[in-house]
Amino acid sequence: MKTNQAILTDQFKRKHTYLRISLTERCNLRCTYCMPAEGVPLSPKSHIMDYDEIYAIAKTFVENGVTKIRLTGGEPLIRKDIHIILGKLASLPVELAITTNGITLDRHIDVLKENNIKNINVSLDTLSEDKFKEITRRNQFEKVYNNILLLIEKGFNVKINAVLIKGFNDDEIIDFINLTKGFSISFRFIEFMPFDGNKWDIKKMVSYAEVLERVNNHFFLENVERIKDAENDTSKNYRIKGYKGSFAIISSVTNPFCDSCNRLRLTADGKLKNCLFSASESDLLTVFREGKSIAPIIQKAVLGKFKIRGGMDTLEKLKKPDLHSKNRSMITIGG
Ligand code: SAM
Ligand code: SF4
């Protein structure tokens, strides 16, 4: 397969080798930080990419230098044709990964194994059944927790994502890290980010610095090891000495990692987003359906990428609702 990174290199010389594809706008949970209580307006089914379109558009990215694809959503595993999508994408020369809320993982272990998917990120924001119900508006804690144990047993590389919200789950940081004592998992704390309809307030966010302070106070500085981050990693990684697993902090708000950003996002309705925080989108699906080349649209979108956080280069700008509320809800971007 020929690769040509030219169209995926932006004006700041960042090469975009990682594509996140959202497979659906729907979800079997209703996380408060991700979507408004009333739900989001859903695109008609005919506007959502089918499996052939997902494959063809993904192939164009791979031909132009993408080496990693992560499937997300909504909840990617609720797509009825997920086995076909996985099979098609697994035929491309890329590392394939998935981010899921974990509810139906037990039914998908075989198809994930068959398609050589090793890296699975599961979202879990609390270890309390009641709090799980409060944050996700659904009563599925046990299912998700047991499915995480199943993934570990089956030998997958498991990362757990928790969005930290002050007064809600910040008292669980140490409990989460204690899970890494016996399990070889990575627990990742995500700073709460603003999106349309998620009632974001910087006062609700638990920052990178605050997480580290709590961890250092509890485990003592000499036991908290900074470990090497993977290339283009968005997280800062740590380990408690002697623990099997590790933990990490994703500090998109207080300490953005835009300099090394290698990510592009394709929404379920076939729009390319050059940045998680950017409200602007480029319609690839319509152009693809017209039988035209999507490469020039991709190139234009990549060249238009801002240096920092979709142009919100200061915390002050990020705090302005008129800037971040133009962006979609996270459920329709995919994280
Ligand atoms: N349904 C899947 C899941 O929950 O893992 C995949 C889609 S979800 C949108 C992808 C990731 O985005 C999840 O890890 C979720 O925690 C994260 N996320 C959603 N809203 C967020 C927000 N406001 N701030 C930070 N992370 C958020
Ligand atoms: Fe669904 Fe994931 Fe959003 Fe929760 S974070 S509502 S599981 S898409």
Side-chain angles (χ1 to χ4, degrees):
M1 188 170 282
K2 77 175 165 50
T3 68
N4 161 23
Q5 292 201 340
I7 73 163
L8 297 183
T9 302
D10 72 6
Q11 49 172 327
F12 307 103
K13 303 213 163 22
R14 293 175 294 198
K15 290 190 166 80
H16 294 83
T17 54
Y18 178 8
L19 178 67
R20 296 176 68 98
I21 306 179
S22 172
L23 297 183
T24 174
E25 299 170 348
R26 295 169 187 271
C27 190
N28 41 7
L29 294 182
R30 294 279 180 277
C31 303
T32 56
Y33 51 75
C34 180
M35 63 186 293
E38 66 278 14
V40 291
L42 296 172
S43 305
K45 195 162 184 283
S46 61
H47 292 200
I48 300 293
M49 294 183 292
D50 67 24
Y51 55 73
D52 283 325
E53 290 165 339
I54 293 170
Y55 172 73
I57 294 176
K59 187 161 170 274
T60 302
F61 280 91
V62 175
E63 284 169 351
N64 285 286
V66 160
T67 55
K68 176 173 176 182
I69 292 178
R70 178 173 292 278
L71 302 178
T72 174
E75 173 47 37
L77 293 180
I78 64 171
R79 277 251 336 208
K80 293 210 167 52
D81 55 358
I82 185 72
H83 56 294
I84 305 177
I85 297 172
L86 291 175
K88 282 182 155 287
L89 293 179
S91 71
L92 294 171
V94 279
E95 178 195 328
L96 196 54
I98 193 160
T99 296
T100 167
N101 62 28
I103 291 178
T104 67
L105 269 171
D106 49 327
R107 290 196 264 124
H108 290 98
I109 295 287
D110 291 345
V111 73
L112 292 166
K113 285 262 175 201
E114 278 157 25
N115 290 296
N116 205 21
I117 296 181
K118 299 192 179 77
N119 300 319
I120 304 195
N121 293 0
V122 187
S123 300
L124 180 69
D125 306 300
T126 174
L127 298 173
S128 143
E129 204 163 336
D130 289 341
K131 277 159 77 174
F132 185 95
K133 198 168 164 191
E134 186 184 335
I135 196 85
T136 66
R137 304 176 177 119
R138 294 290 183 272
N139 195 5
Q140 295 276 12
F141 172 77
E142 218 173 75
K143 186 91 214 164
V144 175
Y145 193 79
N146 287 337
N147 277 344
I148 290 174
L149 296 180
L150 182 66
L151 281 187
I152 298 170
E153 185 196 315
K154 297 284 181 187
F156 289 94
N157 299 329
V158 182
K159 290 182 181 165
I160 302 179
N161 290 339
V163 177
L164 289 179
I165 300 176
K166 210 163 266 174
F168 175 73
N169 59 356
D170 51 340
D171 58 338
E172 296 189 70
I173 293 173
I174 304 302
D175 297 337
F176 290 139
I177 294 177
N178 280 336
L179 281 180
T180 69
K181 186 170 188 180
F183 291 124
S184 180
I185 53 173
S186 167
F187 212 105
R188 308 184 328 151
F189 302 114
I190 308 179
E191 287 181 349
F192 182 29
M193 294 182 268
F195 293 95
D196 187 27
N198 77 353
K199 302 205 170 81
W200 184 79
D201 179 342
I202 196 150
K203 291 192 217 86
K204 290 191 203 161
M205 190 202 67
V206 185
S207 70
Y208 175 25
E210 286 171 277
V211 176
L212 267 195
E213 193 186 326
R214 277 176 192 248
V215 172
N216 289 336
N217 284 342
H218 182 88
F219 291 100
F220 303 115
L221 205 55
E222 62 273 23
N223 294 317
V224 183
E225 290 176 336
R226 178 81 167 90
I227 54 177
K228 203 171 177 306
D229 305 324
E231 204 189 345
N232 301 113
D233 206 339
T234 51
S235 56
K236 313 274 187 312
N237 290 268
Y238 296 83
R239 183 191 304 277
I240 304 300
K241 268 190 194 153
Y243 282 22
K244 279 192 181 166
S246 57
F247 69 95
I249 304 159
I250 303 183
S251 55
S252 331
V253 177
T254 63
N255 208 342
F257 23 77
C258 306
D259 280 353
S260 62
C261 182
N262 65 341
R263 295 166 177 224
L264 294 170
R265 293 175 165 81
L266 181 62
T267 61
D269 60 342
K271 309 267 169 37
L272 181 64
K273 282 180 80 74
N274 63 13
C275 171
L276 181 57
F277 289 97
S278 163
S280 75
E281 303 180 346
S282 307
D283 186 354
L284 300 187
L285 185 58
T286 303
V287 175
F288 178 81
R289 285 181 177 175
E290 285 165 357
K292 297 185 198 144
S293 168
I294 57 172
I297 321 277
I298 297 173
Q299 181 165 35
K300 191 164 171 229
V302 170
L303 286 175
K305 177 159 170 160
F306 281 95
K307 192 168 192 290
I308 296 177
R309 256 187 333 229
M312 291 180 283
D313 47 4
T314 62
L315 262 184
E316 289 318 306
K317 285 189 192 165
L318 193 68
K319 282 183 202 163
K320 285 191 182 153
D322 55 321
L323 288 181
H324 64 245
S325 65
K326 287 199 194 98
N327 201 355
R328 293 169 176 242
S329 287
M330 187 66 134
I331 189 165
T332 63
I333 304 175

